[in-house]
Amino acid sequence: KPRAVEIILRAKEEGKLERIYGTVSQLCSVDEMYALALEVAGGNALNYIVVEDEDVDIRAVKYLKEVEGGRASFIPLNRIKVNVELDRSILKEDGVINYAVNLIKC
């Protein structure tokens, strides 16, 4: 994990920051059969830190600045939109197994 991510997770454990849930990779699981493909597809986004809202995001960024901890990316839960239309016809193409969102458990 990047240094900034480790600093934020440690601050969470020490009670310095609240309403931080963890990284995407910590909060999600996949069937081992698809793990490598999803790791490659997810890339650095697997280290994004999931937080309750923008207020937590702002406090965490300020904390990183205070301790000169570098940069991290955050996903505020209240900003996630879940109503997304997926093109089902793609699933009929050769070699296509499924959309990643259908293979990940969070």
Side-chain angles (χ1 to χ4, degrees), residues 39-103:
E39 282 179 34
V40 171
N44 193 45
L46 296 176
N47 288 312
Y48 288 11
I49 302 167
V50 178
V51 298
E52 189 168 313
D53 55 34
E54 294 94 346
D55 292 337
V56 178
D57 181 348
I58 292 167
R59 280 198 308 276
V61 169
K62 285 181 181 177
Y63 181 79
L64 283 173
K65 285 182 183 177
E66 287 172 17
V67 300
E68 297 180 4
R71 295 180 180 202
S73 295
F74 298 89
I75 303 174
L77 286 177
N78 67 322
R79 302 293 270 168
I80 295 175
K81 294 183 176 29
V82 292
N83 294 331
V84 177
E85 281 292 318
L86 301 175
D87 181 358
R88 301 263 181 233
S89 67
I90 291 172
L91 299 176
K92 296 175 183 172
E93 293 183 22
D94 283 343
V96 175
I97 296 169
N98 207 331
Y99 283 99
V101 68
N102 295 330
L103 300 173

